[in-house]
Amino acid sequence: MKAARYFGKGDLRVVEAPKPEPGTGEVRIRVRACGVCGTDRHIYLGEKGAAECLPPKTLGHEFAGTVDALGVGVTGLAVGDSVCVDPNRSCGGCAYCRNGLPHFCERMSCYGTTLDGGFAEYAVVDARQALAFGGGLPFEEAAMAEALACCLHGLDLAGIKAGQDVLVVGAGTIGSIMVQLASLSGAARVVAVDPVREKRGLAVELGATAAVDPVEERIGDALGRLGIRNVDVAMECVGSIGTMKDAIDNTGRGGTALLFGLTGPDAVLPIKPFELFQREVTVRTSFINPNTQARALSLLESGKVRVGPIITERVALSDIASAFDGGGRLRSGKTVVIP
């Protein structure tokens, strides 16, 4: 089979590899779609993502496909089933797992970072990590269940209440999902912030009350113009120090700033504690997707969250390098690899 293997910083190659065979309790998946995530780009640039990735490795942790073969002892799945993959596999036995914190598992493994993932024609995964779905959901949308699952964990931590005002800083893939989740949670007004016109337009299409260009207008001035005196929850969905500062600075009294975007590991965020004290601001962070993948899949199957409009680029596995080239497609929306 063909697989996109990461060999080190800036070195991602499509190579011929043996088709993997499923072991006991595993299934082999014919990959139909695999999303390109910001974590993949961090790894490609030689940075640490959410988990350590030691090359050589097949990247890609947002994937869906059809069950192609069953290992010994697999029940509940059949050859031909459509599945998406929860890539984060916890051990179930360490202190964190036993205390309801599986995402901090001491022996965590992840398909696409610590284990071979979905940038390939076939992938083998633990059958417990494969969630079946109906034929009405396109594979490329099902592949985004992991990203949505991560957003759901962040949303749970942000604690949005019905009637609150929400600010979403960054209207890319994650921001577009957060806009929808905030609206579904009952937010009275959801304001999206992004310098890219197309992303602002999509945010409004997906439910944002308004979209602001931070280059043309200060966020605080825009909020005042919109009649929003106090932002209850601000969600940063970019992963840069500047946008994190924007989220914190524009969080209102008694509000919560959720820093969702992933920065480089050495980034440092300057904070003035006195300003947080004056406003009693809670600053929260969110890490991966503990026990939220099934909820994400349900939202996609029900159509309550729309990810189809977010997907703007589809590339063949043989052309995967173009998804990492830093060009214009990084600004346009979600890129999905079709093996």
Side-chain angles (χ1 to χ4, degrees):
M1 68 168 189
K2 295 187 183 302
R5 301 280 282 171
Y6 169 70
F7 289 94
K9 182 178 179 179
D11 187 359
L12 183 68
R13 292 177 244 158
V14 178
V15 300
E16 290 288 337
K19 184 188 293 186
E21 294 297 330
T24 300
E26 295 180 328
V27 295
R28 185 171 66 205
I29 296 171
R30 171 70 172 95
V31 180
R32 303 295 183 179
C34 186
V36 178
C37 175
T39 293
D40 296 316
R41 294 189 177 109
H42 279 288
I43 293 170
Y44 175 75
L45 294 173
E47 302 171 352
K48 182 179 179 180
E52 193 78 28
C53 180
L54 300 177
K57 200 75 65 186
T58 301
L59 300 184
H61 59 274
E62 302 177 354
F63 59 105
T66 52
V67 174
D68 174 75
L70 303 175
V72 175
V74 173
T75 59
L77 290 173
V79 171
D81 282 352
S82 298
V83 295
C84 69
V85 174
D86 179 350
N88 301 305
R89 188 177 68 174
S90 55
C91 74
C94 71
Y96 291 110
C97 287
R98 291 182 177 184
N99 282 283
L101 298 170
H103 51 314
F104 298 130
C105 173
E106 294 173 347
R107 292 179 285 275
M108 174 73 76
S109 56
C110 177
Y111 297 105
T113 51
T114 64
L115 303 169
D116 287 336
F119 287 153
E121 292 179 311
Y122 295 89
V124 164
V125 304
D126 187 322
R128 294 171 295 183
Q129 304 303 116
L131 286 75
F133 61 90
L137 183 65
F139 288 111
E140 60 186 32
E141 296 184 20
M144 292 187 64
E146 189 271 346
L148 175 52
C150 290
C151 289
L152 279 171
H153 179 52
L155 185 87
D156 291 344
L157 294 173
I160 296 172
K161 298 177 182 177
Q164 290 187 324
D165 288 327
V166 175
L167 178 69
V168 178
V169 182
T173 297
I174 296 301
S176 295
I177 292 173
M178 286 299 201
V179 162
Q180 297 178 75
L181 292 177
S183 298
L184 284 172
S185 297
R189 290 174 290 192
V190 181
V191 178
V193 177
D194 202 286
V196 179
R197 179 175 56 83
E198 292 81 3
K199 292 182 180 180
R200 294 196 304 274
L202 180 58
V204 172
E205 177 187 332
L206 294 175
T209 308
V212 175
D213 182 349
V215 177
E216 297 294 329
E217 185 177 19
R218 288 181 62 254
I219 297 174
D221 292 342
L223 293 171
R225 171 174 56 79
L226 295 167
I228 297 176
R229 298 183 60 186
N230 200 72
V231 170
D232 298 293
V233 176
M235 297 191 284
E236 193 279 342
C237 302
V238 179
S240 76
I241 295 302
T243 50
M244 287 184 171
K245 191 172 186 307
D246 285 340
I248 293 172
D249 289 349
N250 288 283
T251 301
R253 290 180 173 88
T256 297
L258 175 69
L259 306 185
F260 191 91
L262 180 65
T263 68
D266 297 323
V268 176
L269 174 64
I271 293 178
K272 295 181 179 179
F274 186 76
E275 293 183 0
L276 300 183
F277 163 79
Q278 282 186 308
R279 289 179 285 139
E280 204 174 76
V281 167
T282 299
V283 178
R284 301 216 61 161
T285 58
S286 175
F287 183 64
I288 64 174
N289 63 334
N291 303 320
T292 51
Q293 187 90 1
R295 289 166 58 195
L297 188 57
S298 293
L299 284 170
L300 292 173
E301 288 191 288
S302 69
K304 295 289 186 180
V305 171
R306 299 167 56 209
V307 295
I310 301 172
I311 301 169
T312 56
E313 296 283 348
R314 297 162 181 82
V315 300
L317 185 62
S318 58
D319 191 35
I320 192 171
S322 66
F324 291 83
D325 63 6
R329 71 174 66 206
L330 301 190
R331 296 168 55 85
S332 60
K334 185 72 173 181
T335 298
V336 175
V337 175
I338 309 296

